[in-house]
Amino acid sequence: MWNMKQLEYGALARRANQIKDELRQGVRRPYKEVIDVFQGDLHRAGMKPLTFVRQVLAACVYPPLINSSNLPLDVRQRAQEELGRCVGGSGYYNQTSQIKLYCQFCNVQDIHSTEMPFRPLLNREASPRTGVLIPVPCHNKTVLSITQLGAVAVPYYLSEEQGWALQVEELQRALESAKGVCNPVALYVINPGNPAGYVQSQKSVLEVIRFAWEKRLFLLVDELYQDRVYGENCEFVSYKRAVSEMGPPFSGTVELASFHSVSKGFSGEYVCGLRAGYVELVNLDPAVMKYIHTLFSKDACSPVLGQIALDLMTDPPKPGDPSYLLYKQVGPENCTLVYVKKVHEVVNSLPGFSCPPIEGGLFAFPRLHLTPKAIQKAKELGLQPDTFYCTRLLEEGGVFTGPGWEYGQKEGTYHIRYNTSRALFKELLRRLSSFHMTFMKDFS
Amino acid sequence: MSQQAVNGVSHRGRVLTLDSMNPNVKRVEYAVRGPIVQRAVQIEKELKEGAKKPFTEVIKANIGDAHAMGQKPITFFRQVLALCSYPALLEDSKFPEDAKQRARRILEACGGHSIGAYSASQGIECIRQDVARYIEKRDGGIPSNPDNIYLSTGASDAIVTILKLLVCGEGRDRTGVMISIPQYPLYSAALADLGAVQINYYLDEDNCWSLNITELRRALSAAREHCNPRVLCIINPGNPTGQVQSRQCIEDVIRFAKEEHLFLMADEVYQDNVYAEGCQFHSFKKVLFEMGPEYSNTVEMASFHSTSKCYMGECGFRGGYMEVINLDPEVKAQLIKLVSVRLCPPVPGQALLDLVVNPPQPDEPSYATFMKERTAVLSALAEKARLTEQIFNTVPGITCNPVQGAMYTFPRITLPQKAIDKAKELGLVPDMFYCMRLLDEEGICLVPGSGFGQREGTYHFRMTILPPTEKLKVVLQKIREFQLHFTQEFS
């Protein structure tokens, strides 16, 4: 189902770049520019960076700015503080885990690669092979990371009809399916979801923790979009907190690794290019922690600017600080997420599209109901039906989206994924609606 | 699943224990930040809390981190990076025009004109083009194709990526990777992590750590008994050994790689750090092409560079690249897929790399300051290299090869038998015992030679030559005193 080798990985991306080049060279197309809503990169989508964060970073990078009256006082003070923590002044290898956040009873390590969480768990030489339960749909990098490490990805299907809910019965079925194939050791959960925009309820989180505890699975929880929740009556519940609130025996025994990143919305700023994040490890064997530490140390450190950005974003300007007003103004995207609702409503109203409400995360993953004619045409061209749709959408509508097959989906269903950036949503809706109506007519 | 009740609370084994953990992880060691550094950090903590010791600070001469040792960053680079981080500064008249021009160009190439955006996985295209031009200039005009350039998160990232592509097979067919002894422990750690077979070839300590083809041959034929050797790694200038290989040597290595059908990995991160008279950096690519099409069309190679060393020392930015030569086009497609999993290298690091390969030119306003700073750093390093070799060679029990390049010295220490016995008693490798004592008594943190590999029965330590000259002199003096009295204690 995750057909990584079969079809050309990245073909759409290459075509999108080609078209962008052609447009730059003045080739005439039905649109003046390509709208790139494929990745979760809001800067690329036109979002403005947070001034405060960038000012501090600039002053850290070029310390003479600390004396510049052009920068607000709180910026200069913070830069000085951050530099004080860097032994050589931001050019140096930070002591791994020197910037400690939320330290309490957990261990915090900076991560900068999707693979790191899996490495200690996955034993390439094991027989039977190690397995990791992964949601369908899921972001495609995860599958690659796991298979690259010689392990088996065991799919569990989220229930689209129930708003992409995670059902324990389905987890059980997935576990059963692994019998004789591999030895599952971990359960990977994404909350809020990617690509599907669900936010797990407290009840669901507790069920999953209980399941993991019963079946002795290591919990790996991707919580990158925790700051991006907008569904009505939705609330982000961190697995770490839930585990601790469950009390013994869970709180002392459930092994958990949860991840966050500056790329995906920390108090609204998204700085994908800085490459920083962190993982919190709960209830890990202290003997194993020693080795995890070594693994991190040989990768030198995660980029220092990213670490500084991370630190700034967990401790933003407060009321009374010179930078506070501007910070709040430009601030978090999720201030007014009315537009996400609009995106959902409009797309859902198009015949041939259906989509559960988008509760959180950065993407929408609506279902495409393609006609047999369209599916047939796709087959003729040797393309997956949703890739065919996305290709036409790119060529004719100038919108770059991701085809559902790349993320996994139930056989016979099709989806597309696009990010719900505020900067582009109006144009996205206009072009998508127009293209879609034409497409459905062509293949009716 | 057994559950034992302990104090009435049921106790059950963890999912992730040393036994169930990926066994490769257990084999990973990285001495540069290993137990001795942990002890150093502990001592620093104690000093901070007011503990009395024979020294007031711990000198961390274990890691090649220039800025941490007081080296100043290059002003021009930091100006451009500040402009990229906070583009409003482009209106600030205090920044020179050449810095602004480069910042604008970099921002133009970034998604949304922001260094906060992801870049293409292979790295920002115009930067790859600049890197290619830099390589062409460095190598006397030999063409470099930007498509063969992959930007990375420091050189380490690229090195591990290539190894991932190369390592395969089971049992006797498992990939063997040749690496010099002594070596930089990223290699041994990566090989352990990937479950590859490490094939050691010994550098010749008696001849300035030179590389002998006969030794390569010996190592290779021994290895063929139990694995499938496919890769030859070479670090030039060397780490920890500091030797700069001669052009002849590089030719011989290339010839050997071709004869034995080995993929060459050339770690050239110290290419600007060459000090000894008569020594010169020759890039593997240049030599390869000068050997003619028989070689340049066939030998598969990857060479690596980084922004962490040379005269910049910008370790924390994590900038680097690799150039691949003669890679199978289908493999290149897989390589692109592989690097796309980690999305992209840090954009500030890419920007920094662009400046390194595209520094101020003679007709630009920042040129004079830039050259002054660059020269100051490199000449200080050269002086410290000379000083280190000179002083160490006056200490009985320490012999030191010339530090021809890179940033380290790897002197050999003669340990009295009693010291070796004491070490064994304590369950320590002898040079670890020596270094721990040095740390406890003088507050100097070095890395024992065992962390890098050495011939059986020999002991070494690696020390960086990065502390400022005056401090370095003190360090050398203290080591000399320590060596003398350590020898006496165990005589």
Side-chain angles (χ1 to χ4, degrees):
Chain A
M1 139 210 8
W2 288 295
N3 295 309
M4 288 293 148
K5 267 194 196 152
Q6 266 180 44
L7 293 175
E8 273 204 31
Y9 185 73
L12 260 178
R14 276 196 293 279
R15 183 67 191 132
N17 281 334
Q18 246 170 15
I19 295 178
K20 284 178 192 170
D21 282 336
E22 284 175 17
L23 287 169
R24 254 194 295 267
Q25 288 156 20
V27 172
R28 284 186 70 89
R29 297 194 81 94
Y31 41 84
K32 291 223 171 64
E33 83 228 320
V34 171
I35 299 194
D36 188 337
V37 282
F38 171 67
Q39 261 181 5
D41 182 343
L42 300 194
H43 284 238
R44 196 170 278 274
M47 200 196 87
K48 296 279 162 282
L50 286 175
T51 303
F52 175 74
V53 173
R54 296 310 197 85
Q55 285 173 331
V56 175
L57 287 178
C60 286
V61 157
Y62 187 55
L65 286 172
I66 292 177
N67 300 321
S68 163
S69 50
N70 290 339
L71 290 179
L73 187 61
D74 53 352
V75 165
R76 293 186 265 149
Q77 279 169 345
R78 287 298 286 274
Q80 205 138 36
E81 264 170 44
E82 295 294 340
L83 285 177
R85 294 192 215 170
C86 299
V87 167
S90 103
Y92 94 118
Y93 291 120
N94 203 327
Q95 190 77 4
T96 40
S97 77
Q98 183 163 28
I99 295 184
K100 288 193 193 296
L101 304 163
Y102 313 133
C103 230
Q104 297 163 335
F105 57 91
C106 305
N107 295 288
V108 177
Q109 306 274 11
D110 299 313
I111 53 162
H112 55 279
S113 99
T114 39
E115 193 192 288
M116 181 55 87
F118 299 111
R119 215 99 117 299
L121 277 170
L122 305 186
N123 184 348
R124 188 186 298 273
E125 286 148 35
S127 182
R129 285 158 69 202
T130 322
V132 180
L133 268 64
I134 318 208
V136 178
C138 176
H139 51 72
N140 39 21
K141 315 278 182 221
T142 310
V143 181
L144 273 177
S145 300
I146 291 172
T147 47
Q148 210 195 97
L149 290 167
V152 179
V154 180
Y156 63 87
Y157 291 82
L158 300 175
S159 167
E160 186 163 14
E161 298 78 36
Q162 258 99 34
W164 300 110
L166 202 168
Q167 294 166 322
V168 175
E169 305 76 52
E170 172 55 18
L171 287 179
Q172 180 62 38
R173 180 213 61 78
L175 209 55
E176 298 280 316
S177 76
K179 283 206 171 99
V181 178
C182 66
N183 172 31
V185 301
L187 168 55
Y188 182 71
V189 176
I190 312 174
N191 180 47
N194 173 9
Y198 57 84
V199 174
Q200 267 187 292
S201 65
Q202 165 111 4
K203 178 162 170 282
S204 176
V205 170
L206 295 176
E207 273 176 359
V208 170
I209 293 171
R210 206 165 272 122
F211 181 81
W213 183 85
E214 274 164 28
K215 307 295 177 183
R216 294 199 70 226
L217 296 169
F218 192 107
L219 258 177
L220 296 163
V221 191
D222 178 334
E223 296 176 330
L224 266 47
Y225 297 108
Q226 57 185 266
D227 287 330
R228 208 172 156 96
V229 171
Y230 26 77
E232 268 153 34
N233 307 319
C234 281
E235 202 201 319
F236 168 72
V237 176
S238 93
Y239 269 76
K240 176 185 139 203
R241 193 169 126 203
V243 164
S244 131
E245 286 175 358
M246 279 169 95
F250 309 96
S251 54
T253 57
V254 171
E255 289 152 83
L256 166 68
S258 54
F259 319 103
H260 199 10
S261 154
V262 297
S263 308
K264 301 306 178 190
F266 211 112
S267 316
E269 169 67 292
Y270 303 75
V271 272
C272 318
L274 296 186
R275 316 305 296 117
Y278 69 83
V279 57
E280 285 194 83
L281 302 168
V282 180
N283 288 328
L284 256 68
D285 186 323
V288 170
M289 280 307 298
K290 244 184 55 174
Y291 287 97
I292 293 188
H293 201 95
T294 308
L295 270 187
F296 274 106
S297 78
K298 81 163 173 55
D299 288 338
C301 71
S302 65
V304 176
L305 285 196
Q307 292 188 47
I308 295 174
L310 188 60
D311 199 42
L312 292 174
M313 289 189 252
T314 56
D315 189 11
K318 298 184 188 28
D321 290 346
S323 302
Y324 178 72
L325 284 178
L326 180 62
Y327 189 91
K328 276 325 264 180
Q329 224 179 61
V330 176
E333 263 226 341
N334 47 356
C335 268
T336 51
L337 288 165
V338 157
Y339 74 93
V340 174
K341 234 180 157 185
K342 180 96 174 130
V343 170
H344 171 250
E345 268 166 23
V346 171
V347 172
N348 224 4
S349 72
L350 297 171
F353 261 126
S354 66
C355 185
I358 309 169
E359 298 174 334
L362 200 50
F363 302 97
F365 197 62
R367 181 153 167 205
L368 256 182
H369 301 269
L370 295 172
T371 60
K373 212 169 162 197
I375 296 172
Q376 179 59 31
K377 181 74 184 180
K379 284 205 165 74
E380 272 168 40
L381 295 169
L383 291 173
Q384 290 288 333
D386 39 30
T387 306
F388 172 55
Y389 183 93
C390 290
T391 308
R392 290 284 285 260
L393 175 56
L394 174 61
E395 298 283 348
E396 294 170 23
V399 183
F400 177 29
T401 56
W405 76 266
E406 280 191 10
Y407 307 94
Q409 54 202 350
K410 271 215 169 77
E411 191 77 38
T413 66
Y414 313 106
H415 300 79
I416 65 169
R417 182 189 90 157
Y418 49 84
N419 80 43
T420 51
S421 146
R422 179 160 64 175
L424 293 177
F425 87 100
K426 285 201 179 116
E427 187 62 14
L428 165 69
L429 289 178
R430 194 184 64 75
R431 294 197 196 183
L432 182 60
S433 307
S434 156
F435 164 80
H436 184 76
M437 297 312 283
T438 314
F439 183 90
M440 293 308 270
K441 207 159 82 158
D442 286 348
F443 291 97
S444 61
Chain B
M1 258 155 286
S2 67
Q3 297 205 2
Q4 301 143 10
V6 174
N7 296 336
V9 178
S10 84
H11 170 80
R12 31 178 280 162
R14 286 185 162 93
V15 176
L16 185 56
T17 62
L18 283 190
D19 287 332
S20 68
M21 188 175 77
N22 180 347
N24 288 346
V25 171
K26 269 186 258 181
R27 294 183 215 129
V28 172
E29 278 165 8
Y30 185 65
V32 177
R33 282 188 170 176
I36 194 145
V37 178
Q38 284 155 25
R39 174 90 190 113
V41 170
Q42 175 64 31
I43 294 177
E44 277 180 322
K45 224 169 134 201
E46 289 169 15
L47 280 171
K48 220 175 185 169
E49 289 161 5
K52 286 244 160 285
K53 293 192 182 288
F55 47 86
T56 51
E57 66 165 326
V58 174
I59 299 179
K60 299 247 225 7
N62 56 298
I63 188 166
D65 190 343
H67 291 205
M69 286 287 107
Q71 181 178 305
K72 296 278 163 276
I74 300 289
T75 303
F76 182 75
F77 293 168
R78 293 308 192 87
Q79 285 174 333
V80 179
L81 287 168
L83 289 164
C84 289
S85 301
Y86 182 48
L89 291 171
L90 288 164
E91 310 303 314
D92 188 330
S93 55
K94 284 194 231 62
F95 286 87
E97 194 49 47
D98 49 2
K100 290 185 181 175
Q101 195 209 48
R102 279 182 183 60
R104 278 191 207 104
R105 183 164 171 273
I106 291 169
L107 288 171
E108 183 83 13
C110 294
H113 290 249
S114 164
I115 58 166
Y118 285 125
S119 78
S121 300
Q122 197 174 343
I124 293 173
E125 193 178 346
C126 74
I127 298 180
R128 286 189 291 112
Q129 287 167 351
D130 290 349
V131 170
R133 263 195 291 274
Y134 160 83
I135 294 173
E136 281 177 4
K137 201 162 158 208
R138 180 197 70 189
D139 294 345
I142 293 166
S144 172
N145 184 348
D147 280 345
N148 288 334
I149 309 286
Y150 293 75
L151 304 193
S152 54
T153 307
S156 304
D157 168 34
I159 291 167
V160 172
T161 299
I162 287 289
L163 284 173
K164 278 186 191 164
L165 287 176
L166 285 162
V167 175
C168 69
E170 306 289 336
R172 266 200 73 168
D173 200 43
R174 190 82 182 146
T175 301
V177 178
M178 300 183 73
I179 181 66
S180 57
I181 295 299
Q183 47 104 37
Y184 170 51
L186 165 72
Y187 289 91
S188 47
L191 297 178
D193 197 5
L194 293 169
V197 178
Q198 182 172 330
I199 304 170
N200 297 333
Y201 64 86
Y202 290 83
L203 297 177
D204 188 352
E205 183 161 19
D206 297 330
N207 281 299
C208 253
W209 297 112
S210 61
L211 200 166
N212 299 325
I213 300 298
T214 40
E215 170 55 18
L216 284 182
R217 249 185 254 289
R218 177 212 61 79
L220 185 63
S221 66
R224 288 210 161 107
E225 301 291 310
H226 61 93
C227 71
N228 180 13
R230 303 170 77 212
V231 191
L232 169 52
C233 297
I234 175 163
I235 310 172
N236 181 50
N239 175 6
T241 45
Q243 86 287 8
V244 177
Q245 301 294 0
S246 68
R247 200 218 145 83
Q248 183 61 51
C249 172
I250 295 176
E251 269 193 38
D252 291 343
V253 170
I254 292 173
R255 203 164 283 121
F256 178 79
K258 180 168 157 68
E259 277 164 17
E260 305 294 345
H261 205 52
L262 298 168
F263 189 103
L264 255 178
M265 288 177 65
D267 181 337
E268 298 176 327
V269 304
Y270 297 101
Q271 56 189 263
D272 285 338
N273 299 109
V274 174
Y275 322 117
E277 250 188 70
C279 283
Q280 199 191 334
F281 170 71
H282 300 278
S283 85
F284 264 79
K285 166 129 179 264
K286 176 160 178 244
V287 176
L288 176 69
F289 275 73
E290 286 174 352
M291 286 168 79
E294 187 200 338
Y295 292 91
S296 59
N297 284 343
T298 59
V299 175
E300 291 150 82
M301 189 173 93
S303 49
F304 308 93
H305 195 18
S306 152
T307 58
S308 305
K309 310 298 178 190
C310 296
Y311 61 90
M312 316 66 90
E314 298 280 12
C315 317
F317 280 87
R318 319 305 297 116
Y321 74 79
M322 69 174 159
E323 183 183 23
V324 299
I325 304 293
N326 291 325
L327 215 65
D328 181 313
E330 291 188 326
V331 171
K332 269 177 98 178
Q334 292 294 310
L335 175 56
I336 302 245
K337 183 178 85 181
L338 194 60
V339 298
S340 77
V341 175
R342 56 101 168 95
L343 288 159
C344 74
V347 177
Q350 295 188 49
L352 179 60
L353 180 66
D354 194 46
L355 302 172
V356 169
V357 301
N358 210 359
Q361 294 305 298
D363 58 342
E364 291 183 298
S366 303
Y367 180 74
T369 309
F370 169 75
M371 282 310 288
K372 187 157 154 246
E373 290 174 348
R374 180 179 190 270
T375 309
V377 169
L378 291 176
S379 58
L381 283 171
E383 171 56 25
K384 290 187 281 186
R386 190 200 59 77
L387 188 70
T388 301
E389 182 202 341
Q390 187 196 9
I391 293 186
F392 271 153
N393 278 325
T394 65
V395 181
I398 298 186
T399 46
C400 182
N401 269 319
V403 178
Q404 295 175 339
M407 290 174 177
Y408 317 93
T409 176
F410 197 66
R412 179 151 164 202
I413 45 178
T414 316
L415 297 176
Q417 189 57 45
K418 285 206 179 124
I420 297 174
D421 296 338
K422 179 74 180 176
K424 286 206 165 73
E425 225 179 279
L426 296 168
L428 290 173
V429 176
D431 45 27
M432 173 65 89
F433 172 57
Y434 180 95
C435 289
M436 283 288 193
R437 283 287 290 266
L438 177 62
L439 175 60
D440 283 335
E441 290 174 24
E442 303 285 357
I444 296 171
C445 181
L446 309 176
V447 190
S450 44
F452 303 86
Q454 57 203 348
R455 275 206 187 275
E456 187 79 36
T458 65
Y459 309 105
H460 302 76
F461 61 74
R462 186 187 83 164
M463 184 188 86
T464 71
I465 57 168
L466 295 172
T469 311
E470 286 319 302
K471 198 170 240 176
L472 183 67
K473 285 185 181 155
V474 171
V475 169
L476 292 168
Q477 182 59 26
K478 287 191 173 189
I479 294 177
R480 155 204 273 265
E481 280 162 16
F482 172 81
Q483 170 70 17
L484 291 173
H485 110 251
F486 181 88
T487 310
Q488 208 174 46
E489 182 187 337
F490 289 99
S491 62

